[in-house]
């Protein structure tokens, strides 16, 4: 506010007052307040990609998602819309004929006064109302396809194509018209484009008010993931997740068939370890070792001494509804203990849990969790024996994006043992010599990829499905490539393919499992510039299906020495995925395996099977792109998927997910 006031003090009104003397401060709606950003008659948070395309047409977004793909506004976008609506209500009910509405991160160009005066007088002369225009943009961002009518060097009449609402003049009649058009559907600056036809609206030919570059916006844009997946933007500048400093947390559940409490703590950002609850009581020293790695500990069988230590550590204590305890709950400090309400009462458990931890409830529904038999948050890492007693091992957590530097020292692992998982019947078999009803061609990309995927880069023949990375003829993209994905999702099993990788520096061939909301992934990456190497990795985000979480726990990539050149001929690659273990096999030998917390939990939700060839933006990851090797082709054939031999519990879980 001080910065904005100081900026306004530089300019004067026609009667000699500095503009800061005319300011009324309107408190913005806080996106952290769940009640304030709930859907109301003023705002409908649901819109479609066609609304984005109306303002900013882009053939890549249209080709990837069409016009009817649903998008939901973020809490921040809802708060921004509600804030502007509150300003419109003040204008409509006020005594001033015109009001300048400014967001709090603006500055005025040195020639702003002259530009605004000239533009305002021109707009008043052209206005089709007797009083003057309803709306005039003094600040905006040109979407690149602005439709300008009645244009001169002072103003133009927009029909569409303006982003941002940092600074605009609104009349009392204009405010009433906007309020009658409610609800705002989608981001408010997008929705305003639909109002230009019903308002006498103008914009300065050149914005006179700009947004400050020295202020980092904490807004979160709902359309960005779709623009990134369509290759319109490259949103790869994502920092590591922040570990919440609210622990240690000690929680006891009712040990129901599905573990929701542990999942809820993980959604909140805590590193969660779950005990079965029937182990031998652990002592104080062992508890301290556990707390060095984990933030939240569920169903720990604490000895009397360990319970006293937990209290002395300043821990917070959570008792699930009907929690199973081995001790008197009266021993827990009342001011650091909460009891949760039954989960079937909507999101009832979030409120007492988040109040205790002094954090805001997440937008996700309180989770159902997964079957206890899956041991999702158990610490099943291998132990090392030091002096005859097991020792807690701090996991080699990876707090950086997938494109790690080779200098970070990826560990290597050779082939070890024969493959063979606990799998049942085969549920998909595709020779991949012709198009398959079970597989679709991808038309989206992902952050960090220089070569968006197009169907034209995929061909079929006797040798298999060929994915070709080449220079692009498409507008806006330097390169293009091919990718496929299964149309169905699969929960646990054996996923195998015969593959000859693409050759060339800066080229990567991928065979992997992936899902979004929440993001989970199990990877095989083959480097065309280092063709004797395979990288494997796991990504895990907590939550039931539909939880929006994209950057939670990420495992450390492991470098596998294949012992052959993966670009010269076909080899057989396998991912075996069960609730307790992931194993990677090549030509019948297991080359790497991971258990829970080694170093991530095991993904627990259905995923699609993918294959692609791509060019990373990071040269340190895959090397500089060798254009002399283009076009570069990877060939896939004989994709087979077998289900994991499930128990009756997992069958019920799979049916519920479906």
């Amino acid at each position: 506010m001080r910065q904005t006031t100081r900026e306004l003090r530089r300019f004067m009104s026609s009667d000699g007052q500095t503009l800061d003397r005319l300011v009324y401060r309107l408190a913005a709606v806080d996106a952290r307040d769940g009640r304030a950003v709930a859907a109301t008659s003023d705002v409908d948070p649901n819109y479609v990609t066609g609304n984005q395309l109306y303002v900013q047409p882009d053939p890549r977004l249209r080709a990837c998602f069409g016009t009817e793909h649903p998008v939901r506004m973020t809490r921040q976008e809802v708060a921004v819309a509600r804030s502007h609506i509150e300003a419109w209500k003040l204008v409509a009910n006020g005594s001033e004929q015109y009001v300048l509405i400014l967001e709090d991160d603006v500055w005025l160009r040195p020639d702003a006064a002259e530009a605004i005066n000239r533009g305002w007088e021109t707009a008043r002369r052209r206005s089709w109302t007797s009083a003057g225009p309803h709306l005039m943009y003094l600040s905006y961002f040109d979407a690149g396809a602005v439709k300008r009518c009645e244009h001169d060097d002072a103003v133009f009449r927009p029909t569409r194509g303006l982003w941002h609402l940092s600074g605009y003049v609104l009349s009392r009649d204009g405010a009433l018209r906007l309020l009658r058009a409610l609800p705002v559907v989608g981001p408010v600056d997008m929705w305003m484009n639909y109002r230009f036809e019903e308002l006498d609206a103008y914009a300065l030919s050149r914005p006179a008010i700009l947004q400050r570059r020295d202020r980092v916006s904490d807004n979160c844009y709902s359309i960005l993931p779709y623009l990134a997946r369509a290759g319109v933007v490259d949103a790869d500048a994502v920092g590591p997740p922040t570990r919440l400093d609210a622990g240690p947390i000690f929680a006891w559940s009712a040990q129901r068939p599905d573990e929701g409490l542990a999942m809820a703590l993980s959604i909140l950002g805590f590193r969660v370890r779950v005990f079965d609850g029937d182990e031998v009581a652990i002592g104080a020293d062992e508890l301290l070792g556990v707390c060095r790695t984990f933030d939240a500990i569920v169903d720990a069988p604490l000895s009397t001494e360990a319970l006293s230590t937990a209290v002395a550590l300043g821990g917070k204590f959570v008792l699930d509804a009907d929690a199973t305890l081995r001790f008197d709950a009266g021993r827990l400090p009342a001011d650091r203990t909460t009891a949760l309400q039954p989960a079937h009462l909507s999101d009832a458990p979030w409120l007492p849990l988040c109040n205790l931890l002094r954090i805001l409830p997440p937008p996700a529904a309180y989770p159902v969790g997964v079957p206890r038999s899956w041991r999702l948050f158990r610490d099943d890492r291998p132990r090392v024996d030091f002096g005859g007693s097991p020792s807690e091992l701090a996991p080699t957590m990876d707090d950086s994006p997938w494109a790690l530097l080779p200098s970070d020292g990826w560990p290597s692992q050779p082939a070890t043992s024969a493959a063979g998982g606990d799998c049942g019947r085969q549920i998909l078999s595709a020779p991949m010599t012709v198009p398959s009803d079970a597989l679709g061609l991808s038309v989206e990309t992902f952050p960090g990829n220089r070569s968006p995927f197009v169907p034209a880069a995929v061909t079929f023949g006797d040798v298999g499905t060929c994915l070709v990375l080449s220079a692009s003829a498409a507008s806006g993209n330097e390169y293009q490539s091919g990718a496929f994905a299964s149309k169905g999702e699969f929960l646990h099993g054996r996923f195998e393919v015969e593959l000859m990788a693409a050759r060339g520096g800066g080229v990567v061939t991928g065979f992997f499992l992936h899902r979004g909301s929440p993001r989970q992934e199990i990877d095989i990456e083959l480097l065309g510039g280092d063709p004797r190497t395979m990288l494997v990795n796991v990504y895990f985000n907590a939550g039931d299906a539909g939880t929006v979480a994209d950057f939670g726990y990420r495992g450390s990539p492991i470098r596998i020495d294949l012992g052959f050149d993966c670009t010269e001929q076909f080899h057989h690659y396998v991912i075996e995925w069960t609730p307790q273990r992931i194993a990677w096999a090549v030509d019948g030998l297991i080359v790497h395996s991971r258990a829970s917390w080694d170093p991530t939990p095991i993904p627990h939700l259905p995923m699609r099977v993918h294959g692609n060839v791509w060019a990373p933006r990071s040269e340190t990851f895959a090397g500089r792109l060798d254009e002399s090797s283009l076009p570069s082709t990877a060939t896939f054939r004989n994709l087979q998927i077998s289900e994991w031999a499930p128990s009756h519990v997992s069958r019920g879980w799979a049916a519920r997910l479906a």
Side-chain angles (χ1 to χ4, degrees):
M1 186 63 185
R2 284 194 299 269
Q3 286 180 322
T4 305
T5 302
R6 187 164 56 245
E7 186 68 22
L8 294 175
R9 197 175 294 136
R10 297 172 47 227
F11 294 85
M12 299 179 66
S13 67
S14 58
D15 58 2
Q17 292 190 78
T18 55
L19 296 187
D20 64 298
R21 303 288 299 274
L22 306 176
V23 168
Y24 173 81
R25 180 181 181 181
L26 175 65
V29 174
D30 194 337
R32 296 170 297 181
D33 185 343
R35 290 169 295 182
V37 297
T40 67
S41 58
D42 289 347
V43 178
D44 182 350
N46 300 298
Y47 65 106
V48 295
T49 47
N51 300 133
Q52 169 77 17
L53 290 165
Y54 179 81
V55 181
Q56 190 170 14
D58 192 289
R60 291 166 293 183
L61 181 66
R62 183 183 298 273
C64 191
F65 294 105
T67 60
E68 299 301 321
H69 192 89
V71 188
R72 185 173 178 85
M73 294 168 67
T74 65
R75 297 164 68 95
Q76 293 92 331
E77 287 175 324
V78 173
V80 169
R82 293 283 304 279
S83 299
H84 280 278
I85 291 170
E86 292 305 309
W88 302 343
K89 292 176 181 177
L90 283 178
V91 175
N93 295 318
S95 59
E96 302 297 335
Q97 178 63 30
Y98 288 98
V99 176
L100 171 61
I101 299 174
L102 298 172
E103 293 184 351
D104 65 357
D105 58 350
V106 298
W107 65 281
L108 281 73
R109 301 175 63 96
D111 60 351
E114 179 184 356
I116 292 171
N117 284 339
R118 187 172 67 253
W120 182 250
E121 290 303 319
T122 303
R124 290 190 66 178
R125 288 197 308 270
R126 296 182 181 176
S127 174
W128 49 261
T129 74
S130 58
H134 297 125
L135 171 69
M136 183 166 171
Y137 279 77
L138 308 184
S139 174
Y140 58 86
F141 176 77
D142 187 331
V146 173
K147 303 294 185 181
R148 302 176 182 232
C149 300
E150 303 177 30
H151 178 264
D152 61 23
D153 62 349
V155 295
F156 65 93
R157 191 188 295 275
T159 59
R160 70 173 78 178
L162 299 186
W163 290 127
H164 297 176
L165 283 176
S166 301
Y168 58 101
V169 176
L170 187 64
S171 73
R172 190 185 310 121
D173 186 32
L176 288 169
R177 289 170 180 255
L178 290 176
L179 293 173
R180 285 196 292 267
L182 294 180
V184 168
V185 179
V188 63
D189 55 344
M190 181 185 72
W191 180 81
M192 290 289 283
N193 285 259
Y194 286 91
R195 310 278 75 78
F196 292 160
E197 291 186 2
E198 59 203 59
L199 295 174
D200 187 30
Y202 290 86
L204 295 181
S205 294
R206 181 187 182 205
I209 299 175
L210 304 175
Q211 290 181 296
R212 298 182 66 95
R213 295 290 182 89
D214 59 347
R215 292 276 303 278
V216 179
S217 173
D218 58 359
N219 201 351
C220 183
Y221 300 97
S222 54
I223 197 64
L224 268 185
Y226 301 92
L227 296 177
R229 289 163 60 188
V232 180
V233 300
D234 186 68
D236 59 352
V238 182
T242 301
R243 287 185 66 179
L244 297 179
D245 186 21
I249 300 165
F250 302 93
W252 286 271
S253 73
Q255 299 189 15
R256 298 183 182 89
D258 295 327
E259 296 182 315
L261 176 56
M263 187 73 76
L265 290 167
S266 188
I267 289 173
L268 294 176
F270 297 108
R271 198 167 287 161
V272 181
R273 176 176 176 180
V274 177
F275 288 82
D276 291 324
D278 56 359
E279 299 92 343
V280 175
I282 63 176
D285 290 343
E286 186 176 354
L287 178 64
L288 290 173
V290 173
C291 291
R292 280 193 290 270
T293 298
F294 297 97
D295 311 304
I297 302 162
V298 179
D299 292 335
L302 301 183
S303 65
T304 300
E305 179 187 21
L307 182 59
S308 298
T309 299
V311 174
L313 286 172
K316 297 181 175 68
F317 301 89
V318 179
L319 305 180
D320 203 355
D322 303 319
T324 302
L325 302 177
R326 291 187 180 184
F327 56 86
D328 179 6
R331 296 189 57 194
L332 302 178
D335 61 335
R336 287 187 274 140
T337 303
T338 191
L340 306 186
Q341 301 178 48
H344 70 270
L345 299 177
S346 185
D347 289 340
W350 278 135
L351 191 58
L353 179 59
C354 294
N355 284 345
L356 174 71
L357 304 177
R358 297 185 178 181
I359 58 179
L360 289 161
Y366 193 83
V368 174
V370 300
R372 291 181 62 82
S373 62
W374 288 13
R375 301 178 57 80
L376 179 60
F377 295 107
R378 306 308 192 274
D379 185 6
D380 289 335
R381 294 170 295 154
R383 297 295 193 269
V384 176
D385 194 338
F386 293 107
S389 61
S391 172
E392 282 290 332
L393 299 179
T396 54
M397 294 299 176
D398 167 27
D399 286 333
S400 56
W402 166 247
L404 299 180
L405 303 179
S407 59
D408 289 340
W410 294 324
S412 298
Q413 182 164 326
T416 57
S417 59
D422 183 20
C423 293
R425 65 183 179 92
Q426 189 176 93
I427 54 178
L428 188 150
S429 179
M432 303 187 72
T433 53
V434 295
S436 168
D437 291 339
L439 302 175
L441 303 185
S442 293
V443 291
E444 60 183 68
T445 182
F446 50 85
N449 179 22
R450 300 174 65 187
S451 52
F453 305 122
V454 297
V458 182
T459 62
F460 301 91
D462 292 343
V463 70
T465 298
C466 296
L467 310 181
V468 183
L469 193 157
S470 63
S472 174
S475 174
N477 298 318
E478 190 175 3
Y479 306 99
Q480 68 181 28
S481 189
F484 67 84
S486 65
K487 295 180 180 178
E489 295 182 329
F490 304 93
L491 179 65
H492 304 137
R494 179 183 174 94
F495 306 85
E496 51 192 307
V497 74
E498 293 177 22
L499 166 61
M500 182 163 56
R503 179 180 293 275
V507 178
V508 177
T509 303
F511 176 64
F512 57 100
L513 306 171
H514 171 82
R515 69 164 292 113
S517 301
R519 180 191 177 187
Q520 298 188 348
E521 194 166 322
I522 304 173
D523 286 331
I524 289 177
E525 302 277 12
L526 300 166
L527 307 182
D530 186 10
R532 298 178 68 87
T533 293
M534 178 175 82
L535 297 179
V536 301
N537 203 5
V538 175
Y539 292 77
F540 174 85
N541 285 272
D544 295 341
T547 301
V548 179
D550 290 333
F551 235 76
Y553 299 110
R554 288 148 292 168
S556 297
I558 296 295
R559 182 192 301 274
I560 309 297
D561 183 359
L562 293 171
F564 55 79
D565 186 329
C566 65
T567 67
E568 290 185 342
Q569 58 187 10
F570 284 96
H571 291 272
H572 185 243
Y573 299 88
V574 175
I575 296 172
E576 291 181 352
W577 171 36
T578 73
Q580 290 87 30
R581 176 178 175 267
I582 301 170
W584 291 261
V586 180
D587 292 338
L589 293 177
I590 293 179
V591 296
H592 183 60
S593 64
R594 296 189 183 184
S596 181
W597 279 125
D598 184 24
T600 70
I602 301 297
H604 65 287
L605 290 169
M607 294 190 276
R608 298 184 191 276
V609 182
H610 294 257
N612 63 22
V613 179
W614 61 292
R617 295 185 185 277
S618 169
E619 293 183 2
T620 53
F621 171 47
R624 181 184 296 273
L625 182 60
D626 180 6
E627 296 195 0
S628 68
S629 68
L630 302 183
S632 184
T633 301
T635 307
F636 293 74
R637 70 185 186 192
N638 295 331
L639 173 67
Q640 297 184 53
I641 301 174
S642 302
E643 68 176 2
W644 173 59
S647 68
H648 67 282
V649 174
S650 60
R651 276 206 180 94
W653 173 252
R656 190 171 71 206
L657 287 170

